[in-house]
Amino acid sequence: MENPAVGLTMIGLVSLLCQWIAWRLRLPAILPLLIAGILLGPVFHLLDPDALLGDLLFPLVSLAVAVILFEGSLTLRFSNLRGHSGTMRNLVIWGVLITAVIGAVAAHYILGLPWGMASVLGALLVVTGPTVVTPLLQTLRARKHLTEILRWEGILIDPIGAIAAVLVYEFVVVGLDDGAALSTFLLFMKTALVGFGLGALGGYAWGRVLRQHWLPQRLHSFGTLMVMLTLFTTSNTLFHESGLLTVTIMGVWLANLRGVPTDPIKEFKETLSLVLISGLFILLAARLTAHQLSLLSWPAWIFLLVLVAVARPLSVWVCTLGSELNWREKALLAWISPRGIVAAAVASFFALKLEKAGVAGAEMLVPVTFLVIISTVVVQSLLSRPLAKWLRVTEPPPSGFLIIGANPVARTIGLALQEAGFMVRLADSHREEIKQAQMAGLDVYYGNPLSEHADTHLEMAGIGHLLPLSPQRELNNLAALHFEHLLGHGKVFRLATQRGHDKRHHQDLALGHLPLLFGKDVSYSQLASLVSQGATVHRTSLSETYTFEDYQQAHEGQLLPLFCISEAGRIRVASSEKELEPQPGESVISLIFIDSPQQDEALAQAMAETEKEETSEKELP
């Protein structure tokens, strides 16, 4: 494609289409992205990244890998490791080593690669990554401790594997230039010194800038990106390819500094990372050639089999010795290890350099890596859920609630559900509301529940229902659409439009099939008005002598039934689709209120506040 503008636009549009397909099919986005790249490149020859970007391709890949690694390292808070099984720690230490060694040995004897190239391939294929593990875990619904082990392994193993690949790569390059072991060791030390030194210094210094607010808030995200890229290029200038280690250390340092406001930075890098990951996968897959694909003969498939059926099970078995996991749980851990963006990016990144250096076997690095990525993502995405069910390591049907919003209405209903024994998690981007929810003892997620950050960090294990209780109508509707594919029909609800606003707010046709929460006439403004007037939520048990009709008469009809809990502990949500009809032996959770002269005034005020929220032009965080 001769016109760069047309080529870049095409990549952007195809990326958007692939992300949408992945969302609709609940698959990791890298799968359609890789397929699209292969179709555009070696199959139909519509995209030639080298011709499109020329000499800029290598710097862009290098900088994109740096941003992706920095993004991953920003999520590595040491405090999150507390309370997790020692199995997870073993997997990211000994598991990495076992997988890398077996991968290197298999690459040498099966693929016929020299030991240097075999070691590079073995090191970079240890990574999995949250971009592929998290979507899989959301549909898998394995037991919570298994989900935690796999989730944290995916987050931690990215930078660990990338650093290992960098060090092995340096060994290969250095070994070609100077075979002396002492010289190689000294060069490794220089890499570590420059990487750890600049990374720690940069993380501490920039953390001070952010903590002391020496830069305006609006420049925090942009400034962090520029400082990170500056340290990356400086590190590479001081010592060849030490920049990846530098940015990883900087991100870990920033993530663990107290008082550093990293949330705006994370929000900014979500969109940036999404663009980079999407474009990078298509570009890297399009660089595959028919010759490279022809190299994937039977030895490559045997190598894949060894990696999946030998290296992973052996590392899991060793790392779980002495743990409380049973053989069924270990089998699931041994099965799940899909490779992701860092493996693809680092493989292409190193292949560019190694091919230029004339390293034997470098041409095998990219096709074998992409074979492992595509195969593990496809097979494990399709078979993991049936396997987990067969092994009987899945959680029972989730009954917990994700509530959009942490306002007084959401907190009141959330506390009632929590007191009834159900898991509750509130998601909101307003700091003060989140603080109030935390003080009330509720579990929270601070941030936009629709963001890329939420895809990785919003824990959905045990969540079976979505209640949209935010004053922001658009957020409620988008959240319903976003989570419906995960939770299923009848588990996701929408709120009724305020009376008198039907002409201004036409219901989105895409939401028309969703049941209205608590009934067809219940809006957020009405709930907010009732709560502000002192309405409370109570749980009441029913019996043959005290029926639901008796309960309504006792309160003179001044109640709104919200939920019904059966004798077996199953919960039903009141909606426009089906009335609750509580029976003797069940319990009902209701919002109980009393009419007052001020109620109409409070309702009008609540409606005005909600309208202000809906029409505000500020972007959702």
Side-chain angles (χ1 to χ4, degrees):
M1 188 168 296
E2 297 181 356
N3 191 329
V6 174
L8 293 175
T9 302
M10 179 183 68
I11 292 173
L13 290 175
V14 172
S15 298
L16 177 61
L17 177 62
C18 290
Q19 292 285 350
W20 178 80
I21 292 173
W23 170 68
R24 292 292 298 182
L25 299 181
R26 288 190 289 178
L27 290 173
I30 67 168
L31 182 58
L33 289 168
L34 286 174
I35 294 173
I38 292 173
L39 291 176
L40 292 174
V43 176
F44 296 113
H45 305 288
L46 297 175
L47 177 63
D48 183 353
D50 294 283
L52 179 66
L53 298 174
D55 293 337
L56 288 177
L57 178 61
F58 178 75
L60 286 176
V61 170
S62 178
L63 293 174
V65 171
V67 173
I68 292 167
L69 282 182
F70 181 68
E71 171 198 0
S73 62
L74 271 178
T75 66
L76 300 179
R77 292 184 180 274
F78 296 129
S79 59
N80 290 333
L81 296 177
R82 298 171 187 169
H84 291 297
S85 171
T87 299
M88 184 271 297
R89 295 191 294 271
N90 291 338
L91 284 171
V92 298
I93 299 175
W94 301 112
V96 166
L97 181 61
I98 293 171
T99 303
V101 170
I102 294 177
V105 172
H108 176 70
Y109 288 106
I110 297 175
L111 299 177
L113 296 178
W115 276 113
M117 278 304 309
S119 300
V120 172
L121 185 60
L124 69 88
L125 285 179
V126 303
V127 298
T128 54
T131 56
V132 287
V133 172
T134 301
L136 192 153
L137 293 177
Q138 288 178 341
T139 59
L140 186 62
R141 296 196 182 281
R143 292 173 183 169
K144 186 174 182 179
H145 60 282
L146 295 178
T147 299
E148 287 298 316
I149 291 171
L150 289 167
R151 179 171 175 266
W152 283 105
E153 181 197 13
I155 293 174
L156 291 173
I157 212 168
D158 262 359
I160 291 174
I163 291 171
V166 169
L167 294 178
V168 174
Y169 164 79
E170 288 295 334
F171 175 78
V172 174
V173 174
V174 169
L176 292 172
D177 297 334
D178 188 347
L182 179 59
S183 178
T184 301
F185 174 75
L186 291 176
L187 289 173
F188 278 153
M189 292 302 295
K190 289 180 182 178
T191 303
L193 182 63
V194 172
F196 279 96
L198 269 183
L201 180 62
Y204 173 76
W206 189 245
R208 290 272 298 175
V209 171
L210 297 178
R211 188 161 52 189
Q212 300 298 328
H213 299 282
W214 292 339
L215 202 67
Q217 181 73 33
R218 62 187 179 87
L219 294 180
H220 280 197
S221 300
F222 177 66
T224 301
L225 176 64
M226 290 299 101
V227 169
M228 182 273 293
L229 293 178
T230 300
L231 287 175
F232 174 73
T233 54
T234 302
S235 183
N236 278 345
T237 302
L238 292 175
F239 190 80
H240 185 59
E241 306 306 344
S242 62
L244 292 178
L245 180 59
T246 297
V247 298
T248 302
I249 298 301
M250 177 187 175
V252 173
W253 198 285
L254 279 175
N256 290 277
L257 274 178
R258 292 184 179 180
V260 176
T262 58
D263 290 319
I265 300 171
K266 292 176 182 177
E267 294 162 7
F268 169 76
K269 58 89 177 167
E270 287 166 12
T271 301
L272 179 62
S273 297
L274 182 64
V275 173
L276 290 176
I277 289 172
S278 301
L280 193 58
F281 260 128
I282 290 178
L283 285 171
L284 296 179
R287 288 192 76 251
L288 289 169
T289 63
H291 171 68
Q292 287 177 320
L293 294 176
S294 68
L295 297 174
L296 298 177
S297 55
W298 64 267
W301 291 97
I302 294 178
F303 171 77
L304 170 66
L305 185 63
V306 170
L307 205 64
V308 173
V310 178
R312 177 64 177 183
L314 181 60
S315 66
V316 168
W317 178 75
V318 171
C319 294
T320 55
L321 287 174
S323 71
E324 297 180 356
L325 299 177
N326 59 45
W327 73 268
R328 299 175 185 275
E329 295 170 331
K330 293 178 182 180
L332 185 68
L333 292 180
W335 167 253
I336 298 178
S337 58
R339 271 57 175 184
I341 179 61
V342 171
V346 174
S348 299
F349 173 70
F350 287 159
L352 288 171
K353 299 293 290 181
L354 291 169
E355 288 174 8
K356 288 182 179 180
V359 179
E363 71 280 358
M364 291 290 293
L365 194 61
V366 171
V368 171
T369 300
F370 275 78
L371 173 67
V372 173
I373 292 172
I374 295 174
S375 300
T376 54
V377 169
V378 171
V379 175
Q380 294 180 20
S381 295
L382 294 176
L383 300 182
S384 291
R385 185 168 177 80
L387 177 63
K389 288 183 177 179
W390 180 75
L391 291 171
R392 299 197 297 273
V393 294
T394 55
E395 293 281 4
S399 58
F401 289 81
L402 174 63
I403 299 179
I404 306 301
N407 50 74
V409 174
R411 296 199 299 269
T412 300
I413 294 175
L415 283 171
L417 289 169
Q418 185 168 278
E419 290 172 0
F422 294 92
M423 176 190 295
V424 176
R425 183 166 293 116
L426 276 58
D428 205 315
S429 56
H430 293 82
R431 185 182 297 273
E432 290 303 318
E433 301 284 18
I434 285 293
K435 286 182 178 179
Q436 291 293 325
Q438 287 178 316
M439 291 174 62
L442 290 164
D443 188 21
V444 300
Y445 169 77
Y446 174 54
N448 181 1
L450 308 179
S451 65
E452 189 77 11
H453 183 268
D455 287 342
T456 303
H457 297 89
L458 175 54
E459 182 57 62
M460 293 297 293
I463 298 296
H465 306 83
L466 176 82
L467 304 183
L469 295 176
S470 167
Q472 295 172 309
R473 178 176 175 273
E474 280 300 315
L475 178 60
N476 286 335
N477 292 347
L478 290 174
L481 290 173
H482 181 78
F483 288 101
E484 183 190 9
H485 296 281
L486 175 64
L487 301 178
H489 181 71
K491 304 295 185 180
V492 176
F493 305 87
R494 60 189 175 100
L495 276 175
T497 305
Q498 299 173 35
R499 295 177 180 176
H501 289 252
D502 292 335
K503 293 182 179 180
R504 185 172 63 86
H505 286 311
H506 297 286
Q507 281 292 346
D508 191 336
L509 293 178
L511 294 167
H513 64 289
L514 296 179
L516 290 165
L517 183 62
F518 305 145
K520 62 181 180 180
D521 296 323
V522 180
S523 68
Y524 173 81
S525 295
Q526 291 170 309
L527 294 172
S529 171
L530 293 172
V531 170
S532 68
Q533 285 294 300
T536 56
V537 177
H538 291 282
R539 177 183 178 183
T540 303
S541 298
L542 304 178
S543 65
E544 295 289 348
T545 58
Y546 188 70
T547 64
F548 183 59
E549 289 73 18
D550 296 331
Y551 176 54
Q552 289 179 306
Q553 290 177 4
H555 291 280
E556 299 179 352
Q558 299 300 305
L559 58 83
L560 176 66
L562 305 177
F563 310 96
C564 182
I565 304 173
S566 69
E567 292 182 88
R570 295 182 180 178
I571 191 167
R572 304 193 302 274
V573 183
S575 70
S576 60
E577 192 172 72
K578 188 176 182 181
E579 293 185 9
L580 286 182
E581 299 180 353
Q583 302 298 314
E586 297 183 329
S587 58
V588 60
I589 299 177
S590 304
L591 183 69
I592 299 174
F593 50 91
I594 299 175
D595 282 331
S596 67
Q598 293 80 20
Q599 188 149 337
D600 289 340
E601 180 182 348
L603 175 59
Q605 182 180 355
M607 291 176 63
E609 291 176 356
T610 305
E611 181 179 355
K612 182 179 179 181
E613 288 275 4
E614 293 175 353
T615 57
S616 63
E617 296 296 330
K618 68 176 183 179
E619 296 182 355
L620 292 175

